[in-house]
Amino acid sequence: MAEELPDPDSAPYWEGIAAGELRYQRCAACDAAIFYPRSICPTCGTPEPAWHVSAGDGVVHACSIIHRAPPAHKDEAPYVVALVDLTEGFRMMSRIVDCDPDSVAVGQNVSVVYREDSDGTPAPYFVPSP
Amino acid sequence: MSLNKACAIAGVAESRLGVVPDSTVMTLQAEAMVAALAEAGLEKSDVDAVFSSGNWGRLPQLQVCEYLGIQPSYSDNTSVGGASFEFHLGHAAAAIQAELCKVAVILYGSTQRSRRERRIFEAHTDLGYQYEAPYGLPIPVGAYALAASRHMSQYGTTPEQLAELAVSTRSWAQLNPKAYRREPLTVDEVLASDMIASPLRRLDCCLVTDGGGCVVVVSPEIAKTLPKAPVWLLGQGESHSHAQISEMPDLTVTPAAQSGKRAFAMAGVTHSDLDVVEIYDSFTITVLLTLESLGFCKLGESGTFVSGGRTAPGGEFPLNTMGGGLSYCHPGQYGIFLLIEAVRQLRGECGDRQVANATLALASGTGGVLSSNSTVILGLE
């Protein structure tokens, strides 16, 4: 993780990840699920959305097998980057791991796991689920 | 209020394009500006407004104006990726209409091919990007690949349909002496090119070239006194919906849906009135999504729309007639070249690639990761 992180918006999220919790926010006024974390609801503008914990279950909304990776990830290719729609109603980027990259498809059910990234910081990843 | 005929384009020019090692971003912008002003019959001293977008400097607007020796009374560095220049044209029209300026130059230059100045997509890991950074999505191609993945899954769009767009665009480039890639291309060759980020292959991706451009925008009163027939701004719209791909509201609908609607309404024309269309082709999928969002076809039907050589020379829908970012040039922020080609088509200056009797053109720029769009409609008197 970059030196300037976590920041005041993201600290509860990264603390959650370190504790094995996928945290997200929900607006108390309009009930919108919010990701990434913010100090204001991007739907209705109400400040200070409340923190919640996701069950970590979702569906692959879109995915790409990365063959030509950025320099920092060259040794990891090919890998699957996906946008995952969580059951609670928010979308996040992650990787789908522990599977054949070619087997991952839009609509695939996935669930969260926690792995350390290249600099030792835990981050949420997803694995296929029934 | 409307920007319909609030301004006209009086001059356009490219700098040298392709690989231009003996240049800087400044020399390329200077080169383009000198040529565009000469074409317009104007002097540098006539310029009272500057619009530019660059990713190469700390304060690029100040740097380029300093280099060129212009102290503008109206200055706009709106920088929303490759679409910036269509935004600039709308902003220039508004400023001219408000009588804040009379002669504006829109400028761009990049030496990203020769000098590897690709700072625009340097890995950002802070703020919103911290939630994407761990996963190694190559930007921009990976983001466009995700959109393509979604479009294929949702609508059955195929790699062959994307490839066909690349092939049609290459056919136009073969008619343009300035195009970087002019050798023939087949669908099979596109489908055999290296996979970069599935489903996008090497030949679904735009070029990486050097190049610069300039568009001279003037008030209606001045336009009528100049040597070239004015090309009028008839309509313009702009919008942006997100900065990073995980925040895109719908991966298959771009901000062109919003900007296009305003541009058409302002121009008072419909899709079938257009003679020539220039749509930002950072990737093949960019064009398909933009065609749908602009309403040229229904959502999900762009794959079929571009099939059968429809957008190739001789087809019924002349698209990216200079060869596009895919085959003509793509120096990072390519949107200024859409304006340049649209103007030349309307003036009938395009030689072998000229669309017969073109009087109405649309140019639609897309920037970021399908993030920003501005669409302009241009016409003759």
Side-chain angles (χ1 to χ4, degrees), chain B residues 290-330:
Chain B
T290 308
L291 284 167
E292 292 178 15
S293 291
L294 289 174
F296 284 105
C297 58
K298 290 182 182 160
L299 293 180
E301 292 184 355
S302 58
T304 306
F305 187 88
V306 302
S307 294
R310 185 184 205 154
T311 72
E316 64 182 275
F317 193 86
L319 174 66
N320 292 342
T321 49
M322 74 304 250
L326 292 169
S327 289
Y328 149 70
C329 77
H330 195 288

Side-chain angles (χ1 to χ4, degrees), chain A residues 2 4-5 7 10 13-14 35-38 61-68 70 73 79 81 83 91 93-95 106 124-125, chain B residues 125-128 130-138 142 145-146 149-150 153 195-198 202 244-249 251:
Chain A
E4 67 276 19
L5 298 177
D7 60 39
S10 70
Y13 172 77
W14 291 114
F35 195 88
Y36 51 83
R38 290 162 162 91
H61 181 75
C63 58
S64 175
I65 305 173
I66 307 305
H67 293 266
R68 189 159 180 269
H73 299 278
Y79 52 85
V81 175
L83 297 178
R91 179 174 299 165
M93 184 179 291
S94 190
R95 277 195 207 173
V106 172
Y125 293 80
Chain B
T125 58
D126 65 346
L127 302 175
Q130 68 188 287
Y131 308 98
E132 294 188 351
Y135 308 113
L137 186 74
L146 288 170
S149 145
R150 184 67 203 175
S153 163
M195 190 68 89
I196 306 296
S198 71
R202 167 76 60 200
Q244 52 198 80
I245 197 67
S246 53
E247 294 280 311
M248 187 169 179
L251 288 177

Side-chain angles (χ1 to χ4, degrees), chain B residues 318-370:
Chain B
L319 174 66
N320 292 342
T321 49
M322 74 304 250
L326 292 169
S327 289
Y328 149 70
C329 77
H330 195 288
Q333 297 185 355
Y334 161 79
I336 198 164
F337 301 98
L338 303 171
L339 298 175
I340 291 169
E341 177 69 4
V343 166
R344 287 178 175 159
Q345 285 286 346
L346 293 174
R347 289 184 187 152
E349 297 173 343
C350 288
D352 291 344
R353 68 180 193 280
Q354 179 64 45
V355 174
N357 305 315
T359 59
L360 197 64
L362 177 145
S364 183
T366 292
V369 289
L370 294 161

